[in-house]
């Protein structure tokens, strides 16, 4: 699951737009305003429904050999000319750039502009691209198309920066002010983590609504297609310090799907304090996200640190009508990464909030082994547990918040996990020398507004559950004055080392819960 966007350092967006209650009112107005256009969500929905009633036709690649054989560095030399950006001369806050076909982006997508009553396809021309020092004959590219497109945002043509990108299958990325592109979202995931193989639906056609005057939002419609499903999508992008994307989706199933992934996120975790590197590396951590956060419909908050497993790992968490979920990058201190080029400290979190009733389901976390940071090896999504009809539309609407300020989307009533660190368990002998006791120790730091006052939390204890295969060697809670919270030191052993230990812990003061639940797995044979 490698992406061109994965390692590019040029994708940074700089814009400001503060989220507020007034903004929520404004979004409702945006939805109603779109209905007066000659083209709207219902048109895409009708196309998706008609497409689902026909047999699936696989897209045909059209790349000449000179482009199909490009490596990443070569493909990166093909850049859309900024002066040719669509709407650049219209004095708007948005303009569009485009991606050339090449490498594994071998299938064109159709991109249309909706301008009032007028709907026009935007045409590809090799003259609008720079090819660097590639030895290619651009005259042979006239019949190609766009691989995807990017949305630039800013107050003036020379101050715009990338805010959102659609490129490859149904992938899209978003970045807010002072953020670097990190994890990706997708329109839909199908059969992720199954031995039968994953199906990758693709956006085959887009319609971008031309903004008016000083508009600070942009509307994009998309038509999704795959052997198992079709879908109509509306994205409303609102760039800002935290960029926000409102997603309206309507799916039509061609067949029963074993695993349907709604609001999927894809990220990368190589190593970090939760799972230190097995080899020498000057960087203490390499990851786009370091944990899965889930807010269940019944008010529970669960934090699952990510890992780079030795073998495929699939975990499920009950989540009927979830209130929120996401892959988060909770650590934004440069010193904890020391990576000047990739700036993992500036990679945003993506927090998803459902906007309609989703029903019974579960959140699934798929973690895939990876030897390096070029592979996206983490996938999360919500999966319906009831059988879904194939003869009627399925609506799933949600908002994605791309942020460096994760606390703003967390309940202030509970503390949260600021960091998880793993080490060998040890005891301090009489001579002060530390000695291993063959356990594994986890150091978990909890922070939050409700944990800052030590006087009101003078009886803080840990509630620990290790299931049937774990034993607590030591558990100790101490105040952490450096972080303004509490530290749990938890040393554990497996009863049967050939089986994993599913660990859960939270802090409480008497019968009062103080924090979210930390949930991690001690793998088998470790």
């Amino acid at each position: 699951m490698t992406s061109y966007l994965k390692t590019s350092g040029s994708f940074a967006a700089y814009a400001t737009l503060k989220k507020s209650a007034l903004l929520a009112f404004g979004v409702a107005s945006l939805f109603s305003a779109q209905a007066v256009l000659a083209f709207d969500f219902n048109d895409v929905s009708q196309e998706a429904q008609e497409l689902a009633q026909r047999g699936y036709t696989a897209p045909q690649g059209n790349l000449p050999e000179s482009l199909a054989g490009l490596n990443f560095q070569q493909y990166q030399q093909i850049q859309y000319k900024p002066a040719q950006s669509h709407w650049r001369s219209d004095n708007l806050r948005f303009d569009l750039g485009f991606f050339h076909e090449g490498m594994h982006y071998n299938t064109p997508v159709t991109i249309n502009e909706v301008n009032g009553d007028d709907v026009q396809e935007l045409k590809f021309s090799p003259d609008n691209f720079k090819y660097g020092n590639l030895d290619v004959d651009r005259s042979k590219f006239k019949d190609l198309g766009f691989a995807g497109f990017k949305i630039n945002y800013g107050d003036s043509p020379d101050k715009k920066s990338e805010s959102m990108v659609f490129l490859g299958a149904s992938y899209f990325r978003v970045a807010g002010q002072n953020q670097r592109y990190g994890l990706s979202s997708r329109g839909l995931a199908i059969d992720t983590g199954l031995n039968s193989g994953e199906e990758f639906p693709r956006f085959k056609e887009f319609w971008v609504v031309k903004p008016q005057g000083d508009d600070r939002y942009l509307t994009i419609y998309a038509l999704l297609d795959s052997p198992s499903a079709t879908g109509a999508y509306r994205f409303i992008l609102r760039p800002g310090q935290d960029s926000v994307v409102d997603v309206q989706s309507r799916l039509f199933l061609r067949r029963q799907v074993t695993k349907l992934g709604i609001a999927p996120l894809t990220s990368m975790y190589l190593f970090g304090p939760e799972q230190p590197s097995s080899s020498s590396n000057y960087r203490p951590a390499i990851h786009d996200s370091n944990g899965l956060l889930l807010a269940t419909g019944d008010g529970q908050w669960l934090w699952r640190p990510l890992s780079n497993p030795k073998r495929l790992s699939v975990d499920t968490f009950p989540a009927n009508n979830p209130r929120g979920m996401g892959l988060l990058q909770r650590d934004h201190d440069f010193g904890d990464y020391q990576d000047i080029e990739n700036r993992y400290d500036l990679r945003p979190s993506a927090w998803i909030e459902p906007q309609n009733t989703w029903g019974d389901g579960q959140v699934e976390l798929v973690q895939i082994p990876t030897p390096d940071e070029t592979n996206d090896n983490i996938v999360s999504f919500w999966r319906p547990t009831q059988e879904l009809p194939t003869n009627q539309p399925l609506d799933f609407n949600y908002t994605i918040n791309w942020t460096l300020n994760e606390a703003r989307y967390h309940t202030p009533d509970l503390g949260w996990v600021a960091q998880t660190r793993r080490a060998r368990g040890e005891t301090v002998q009489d001579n002060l020398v530390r000695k291993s006791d063959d356990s594994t120790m986890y150091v978990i730091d909890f922070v939050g507004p409700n944990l800052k006052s030590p006087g009101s939390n003078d009886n803080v204890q840990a509630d620990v559950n290790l299931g049937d295969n774990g034993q607590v060697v030591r558990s100790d809670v101490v105040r952490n004055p450096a972080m303004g919270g509490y530290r749990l030191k938890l040393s554990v052993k497996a009863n049967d080392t050939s089986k994993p230990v599913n660990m859960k812990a939270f802090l409480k003061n008497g019968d009062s819960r103080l924090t979210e639940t930390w949930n991690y797995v001690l793998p088998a044979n470790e």
Side-chain angles (χ1 to χ4, degrees), residues 153-220:
Y153 178 83
D155 294 330
S156 61
D158 58 341
K159 292 183 179 180
K160 287 184 172 65
S161 297
E162 288 179 31
S163 183
M164 187 174 189
V165 167
F166 289 90
L167 180 63
S170 66
Y171 285 84
F172 59 94
R173 290 191 175 189
V174 178
Q177 184 179 10
N178 297 325
Q179 298 175 10
R180 291 282 188 93
Y181 281 132
L183 77 169
S184 302
S185 184
R186 285 194 267 171
L188 192 66
I190 295 179
D191 293 344
T192 307
L194 295 184
N195 292 331
S196 58
E198 182 171 3
E199 181 177 309
F200 288 90
R202 64 183 291 266
F203 290 134
K204 62 181 297 182
E205 188 165 5
F206 295 91
W207 295 263
V208 186
V209 179
K210 184 176 182 178
Q212 301 298 310
D214 203 33
D215 284 352
R216 295 175 179 267
Y217 69 92
L218 187 71
T219 301
I220 307 104

Side-chain angles (χ1 to χ4, degrees), residues 23-37 39-42 217-221 233-238 244-249 355-356 397-399:
L23 185 58
F25 173 79
V27 172
S29 299
L30 303 186
F31 288 165
S32 61
Q34 298 303 324
V36 302
L37 294 173
F39 184 93
D40 63 14
F41 180 78
N42 290 328
Y217 69 92
L218 187 71
T219 301
I220 307 104
Y221 300 102
Y233 287 76
R234 176 176 61 189
F235 303 93
I236 296 181
L237 168 67
R238 294 178 276 141
V244 178
V245 178
D246 299 294
V247 183
Q248 179 182 5
S249 70
Q355 299 298 321
N356 65 333
N397 304 327
Y398 51 96
T399 297

Side-chain angles (χ1 to χ4, degrees), residues 355-388:
Q355 299 298 321
N356 65 333
T357 301
W358 285 12
D360 294 344
Q362 60 192 25
V363 168
E364 194 156 307
L365 175 64
V366 179
Q367 300 179 105
I368 305 165
T370 182
D372 55 58
E373 67 259 47
T374 63
N375 298 306
D376 283 342
N377 64 319
I378 305 295
V379 186
S380 71
F381 49 83
W382 184 85
R383 176 185 178 184
T385 51
Q386 69 272 31
E387 186 171 298
L388 299 175

Side-chain angles (χ1 to χ4, degrees), residues 61-234:
N62 63 346
L63 279 185
E65 185 176 346
S66 59
L67 294 178
L70 296 179
N71 60 33
F72 173 78
Q73 296 293 341
Q74 291 171 325
Y75 178 65
Q76 227 183 4
Q77 292 187 50
I78 306 178
Q79 296 289 327
Y80 194 75
K81 296 177 181 178
Q84 299 300 319
S85 296
H86 196 58
W87 304 328
R88 185 177 179 89
S89 61
D90 292 341
N91 197 29
L92 302 173
R93 291 182 179 273
F94 294 91
D95 64 42
L96 306 179
F98 302 92
F99 291 102
H100 202 289
E101 288 185 81
M103 207 168 56
H104 54 268
Y105 303 113
N106 59 359
T107 305
V109 298
T110 302
I111 304 172
N112 306 283
E113 177 193 61
V114 179
N115 186 6
D117 293 336
D118 189 35
V119 179
Q120 294 287 337
E121 180 180 351
L122 301 178
K123 297 297 186 179
F124 168 86
S125 171
D127 295 335
N128 292 334
F129 288 86
K130 298 180 292 184
Y131 292 85
N133 58 13
L134 296 180
D135 184 17
V136 294
D137 182 359
R138 69 183 65 190
S139 67
K140 296 182 178 180
F141 302 159
K142 293 181 179 179
D143 295 329
L144 296 181
F146 297 118
F149 67 101
K150 54 188 175 182
I151 299 167
N152 306 310
Y153 178 83
D155 294 330
S156 61
D158 58 341
K159 292 183 179 180
K160 287 184 172 65
S161 297
E162 288 179 31
S163 183
M164 187 174 189
V165 167
F166 289 90
L167 180 63
S170 66
Y171 285 84
F172 59 94
R173 290 191 175 189
V174 178
Q177 184 179 10
N178 297 325
Q179 298 175 10
R180 291 282 188 93
Y181 281 132
L183 77 169
S184 302
S185 184
R186 285 194 267 171
L188 192 66
I190 295 179
D191 293 344
T192 307
L194 295 184
N195 292 331
S196 58
E198 182 171 3
E199 181 177 309
F200 288 90
R202 64 183 291 266
F203 290 134
K204 62 181 297 182
E205 188 165 5
F206 295 91
W207 295 263
V208 186
V209 179
K210 184 176 182 178
Q212 301 298 310
D214 203 33
D215 284 352
R216 295 175 179 267
Y217 69 92
L218 187 71
T219 301
I220 307 104
Y221 300 102
L223 176 65
L224 179 138
D225 192 22
S226 82
S228 300
T230 67
Y233 287 76
R234 176 176 61 189

